[in-house]
Amino acid sequence: MKGYVNSIESLATFDGEGIRYAIFLQGCNMRCHFCHNPETWCGSHVYDQYTPKELLNKILRYKNYFGKSGGVTFSGGEPLLQARFLAELSKMLKQHDINIVLDTCGSVFNDDVKKVIKLCDLVILDLKYPTEKEYHSYTRGSLKRTLEFLDYLETKKKDTWIRTVIVPGISDSTKYLEKYLNLIKPYSCITKYELLGFHTMGFAKYQNLGITNPLESTPALNPDKLIKLQNYVNSKLKNE
């Protein structure tokens, strides 16, 4: 069995706590209009292949950098499209007492996914849009499926962070954020809600791949506005 890996960031600090070995797996079943990694969509893109043991051996070279809070993050693309591979790799990582974070949109769910969830320490769940109509229109995916995934995390009491990309002109208002807050209110497994600002750093990838960029005329979100919106979300969650 081999896993298909688009890229690796060996000393990442963004997707989870501490220093992380972030693995971006190839393949995605979504087509999010704000995606900054469109190269993971295409089967024709050049990618690396590893057995679980081969990838474990690469990871172990960095274990000393992880400290108490760092570890490995599975991201993508949609990493759970390769859940069987991740389940096998996760078993090996746990034998070495390595922390695991899963970064997913919750669009894939099967027995292999359950095995990965059981072995990971934290799930970062992307909540892309707050209504079924918008979710499908902007990502071709299903909000219902993501919420069913979140329901499962709740039953397993799995530590969960929610993430949302804030797109100027669509979701950059407190009124709009209320829709997300209402969705996540019932879930006690959620320990953090993090907003990410839309940026334009992936625009060149669309040009190089010959893919139409639906947001090519949209500017990056102003960092000050992102801080204000994050503060609003934090204050609302603190008062609940």
Side-chain angles (χ1 to χ4, degrees):
M1 175 172 48
K2 290 195 174 183
Y4 304 112
V5 176
N6 178 275
S7 59
I8 290 172
E9 191 173 343
S10 54
L11 296 173
T13 57
F14 185 66
D15 298 314
E17 302 283 1
I19 302 296
R20 310 206 65 83
Y21 191 93
I23 304 166
F24 298 88
L25 288 116
Q26 182 70 19
C28 191
N29 55 344
M30 308 285 280
R31 293 294 181 269
C32 303
H33 67 155
F34 51 68
C35 182
H36 59 276
N37 289 325
E39 73 277 15
T40 63
W41 299 352
C42 310
S44 59
H45 186 79
V46 176
Y47 46 78
D48 295 317
Q49 299 181 33
Y50 301 96
T51 66
K53 180 64 175 176
E54 288 170 341
L55 194 47
L56 173 71
N57 288 338
K58 288 177 67 71
I59 293 167
L60 290 178
R61 298 174 198 165
Y62 294 88
K63 186 182 177 186
N64 289 339
Y65 295 101
F66 296 160
K68 293 182 178 178
S69 58
V72 171
T73 297
F74 300 139
S75 187
E78 174 46 64
L80 291 179
L81 290 174
Q82 301 185 58
R84 182 172 297 180
F85 171 80
L86 293 182
E88 187 63 27
L89 176 58
S90 295
K91 282 194 291 186
M92 295 178 177
L93 291 170
K94 282 304 166 191
Q95 289 170 359
H96 292 271
D97 195 27
I98 292 176
N99 177 283
I100 302 171
V101 171
L102 170 65
D103 180 8
T104 177
C105 69
S107 63
V108 181
F109 191 69
N110 53 42
D111 288 343
D112 288 322
V113 171
K114 292 179 182 177
K115 293 176 185 175
V116 177
I117 292 172
K118 183 177 181 179
L119 291 166
C120 72
D121 299 278
L122 169 71
V123 175
I124 300 175
L125 183 65
D126 301 327
L127 184 57
K128 296 176 184 293
Y129 283 95
T131 70
E132 190 64 49
K133 183 178 179 181
E134 291 167 306
Y135 199 107
H136 182 73
S137 175
Y138 292 129
T139 73
R140 299 190 197 173
S142 166
L143 172 64
K144 180 175 181 289
R145 188 168 291 181
T146 297
L147 293 179
E148 289 173 347
F149 194 95
L150 183 55
D151 288 340
Y152 183 77
L153 298 177
E154 179 75 4
T155 63
K156 296 301 177 183
K157 302 186 186 307
K158 181 63 64 174
D159 189 6
T160 302
W161 293 1
I162 300 293
R163 273 185 175 171
T164 296
V165 174
I166 302 301
V167 181
I170 299 177
S171 51
D172 58 337
S173 69
T174 55
K175 182 179 180 181
Y176 198 87
L177 287 177
E178 287 292 339
K179 299 181 183 180
Y180 294 103
L181 291 168
N182 286 332
L183 282 178
I184 67 174
K185 188 180 297 183
Y187 296 95
S188 61
C189 64
I190 298 172
T191 56
K192 184 176 182 180
Y193 185 21
E194 184 174 41
L195 307 183
L196 307 179
F198 171 76
H199 62 73
T200 61
M201 289 185 284
F203 277 19
K205 296 179 181 178
Y206 284 86
Q207 291 181 330
N208 294 336
L209 293 166
I211 300 173
T212 300
N213 180 356
L215 294 180
E216 63 180 355
S217 61
T218 302
L221 184 71
N222 183 299
D224 291 336
K225 187 163 192 177
L226 178 65
I227 292 172
K228 290 180 180 177
L229 293 173
Q230 184 69 63
N231 288 340
Y232 176 80
V233 165
N234 293 346
S235 66
K236 296 287 286 189
L237 294 175
K238 184 178 180 181
N239 294 326
E240 287 182 355

